[in-house]
Amino acid sequence: MQPKELELIARQVRLRDLQAVYEAGAGHIGGEMSVIDLLTALYFRTLRVWPDQPKHPDRDRFVLSKGHTACALYVVLAKRGFFPEEEVATFLKPHSRLNGHPNCNKVPGVETNTGPLGHGLPVAVGMAKAAKLSGASYHTYVITGDGEMQEGSNWEAIMAAAQFGLDNLTLIIDHNRFQQGAALSDTNNIAPLRPKLEAFGWDVSEINGNAMAEVVPALEHRGSKPHCIVAHTNKGHGISFMQDTVDWHHKVPNKQQYEIAVKELSEAL
């Protein structure tokens, strides 16, 4: 798919994600809106996957380390054909397999359970190293939050990836500048990220993570080192009153806010 087609799908995903969070009465909508363009480009263009064979041995691996944005992943997986789109309506309901964090034992297309921050990248390094050891051709991608990059386990994994020469690994940092309760700059500001990753021996691309024309080529980059994409995004992207507002890390719109958001997202379709 071309960027324009991907942009349309991303807008559809945003609208469905908003509806699911509103109906469930819970969710991490701000970070979901910021990461949706990245997820859409991955699943509808970049990843080599077979929705009817979610455990195909040649599939590319994807880890959503910022697992609290699971609803966005569920909407994308359903739209891609991993399970019926109607099932998104069960998000967070009793006995639903669509929980607040992804579960690989329940949801087709989920590679590993995530939620505790700082775990996804180390797991992805293991997946990439396993491919090197076995001679497998799959590529491993992982998305972390920028606040999550404060976790020391990530930097241990970054060192290991460079040491092992994991050119089959792509780390995408959703750099929306906010974490739960505060701006990144007010907690433990790890920006700028690019020079830090480069100092650890990685190739680094710095892009607008909400612009498909920049997302697509960055995801398709291949070099001789592990690759990090610092994706500058907007928390709550696409919804005026949510954008770049820390309150919307974990918050549900009321009826009036929901109607405004639906109108804004629908007009963009």
Side-chain angles (χ1 to χ4, degrees):
M1 285 192 177
Q2 297 305 307
K4 288 293 183 186
E5 297 171 289
L6 295 170
E7 287 170 4
L8 176 59
I9 293 172
R11 290 193 288 268
Q12 294 169 343
V13 170
R14 280 193 171 85
L15 182 58
R16 187 65 190 91
D17 181 275
L18 167 70
Q19 293 168 335
V21 168
Y22 179 72
E23 290 167 3
H28 290 79
I29 196 166
E32 287 160 12
M33 293 295 142
S34 69
V35 82
I36 281 171
D37 295 298
L38 300 167
L39 291 173
T40 300
L42 279 164
Y43 277 94
F44 286 88
R45 171 154 174 153
T46 307
L47 291 176
R48 181 177 57 180
V49 291
W50 293 266
D52 59 337
Q53 301 178 67
K55 294 298 184 182
H56 194 293
D58 295 330
R59 73 193 183 281
D60 288 334
R61 271 57 166 179
F62 170 70
V63 176
L64 180 66
S65 190
K66 48 177 291 181
H68 53 283
T69 59
C71 188
L73 177 62
Y74 298 150
V75 175
V76 170
L77 287 174
K79 199 167 186 63
R80 186 65 174 82
F82 282 88
F83 55 86
E85 290 190 61
E86 295 76 21
E87 191 174 345
V88 173
T90 72
F91 176 58
L92 295 182
K93 289 186 168 51
H95 309 297
S96 172
R97 58 182 176 173
L98 305 185
N99 298 323
H101 294 85
N103 188 326
C104 66
N105 298 308
K106 295 181 179 181
V107 185
V110 174
E111 290 291 344
T112 188
N113 295 15
T114 54
L117 298 175
H119 289 195
L121 179 56
V123 170
V125 167
M127 291 174 173
K129 178 62 173 175
K132 289 288 188 182
L133 291 172
S134 65
S137 62
Y138 66 80
H139 197 93
T140 299
Y141 301 82
V142 54
I143 292 181
T144 69
D146 50 4
E148 180 181 2
M149 293 304 294
Q150 296 166 346
E151 296 280 357
S153 52
N154 282 322
W155 297 96
E156 294 177 36
I158 286 165
M159 284 189 285
Q163 175 69 28
F164 296 147
L166 300 182
D167 57 357
N168 59 344
L169 174 66
T170 299
L171 161 64
I172 307 145
I173 302 174
D174 181 22
H175 193 10
N176 63 28
R177 309 178 309 285
F178 291 93
Q179 58 195 115
Q180 182 169 322
L184 191 71
S185 59
D186 294 332
T187 55
N188 182 10
N189 193 8
I190 55 170
L193 287 156
R194 181 173 197 153
K196 295 177 177 65
L197 270 292
E198 289 177 335
F200 277 78
W202 283 54
D203 282 337
V204 182
S205 301
E206 199 156 5
I207 66 166
N208 178 347
N210 295 131
M212 285 296 180
E214 296 186 33
V215 171
V216 169
L219 289 174
E220 295 177 354
H221 168 87
R222 294 293 180 269
S224 60
K225 301 176 180 180
H227 181 219
C228 175
I229 301 170
V230 179
H232 293 271
T233 62
N234 299 307
K235 196 104 171 180
H237 184 78
I239 302 173
S240 60
F241 61 85
M242 290 186 189
Q243 188 160 310
D244 297 334
T245 305
V246 69
D247 294 352
W248 289 98
H249 177 85
H250 186 260
K251 187 177 177 180
V252 179
N254 58 33
K255 186 174 186 295
Q256 182 181 12
Q257 291 169 327
Y258 173 70
E259 290 172 351
I260 293 170
V262 168
K263 184 174 185 293
E264 291 183 355
L265 293 176
S266 297
E267 287 175 348
L269 291 175

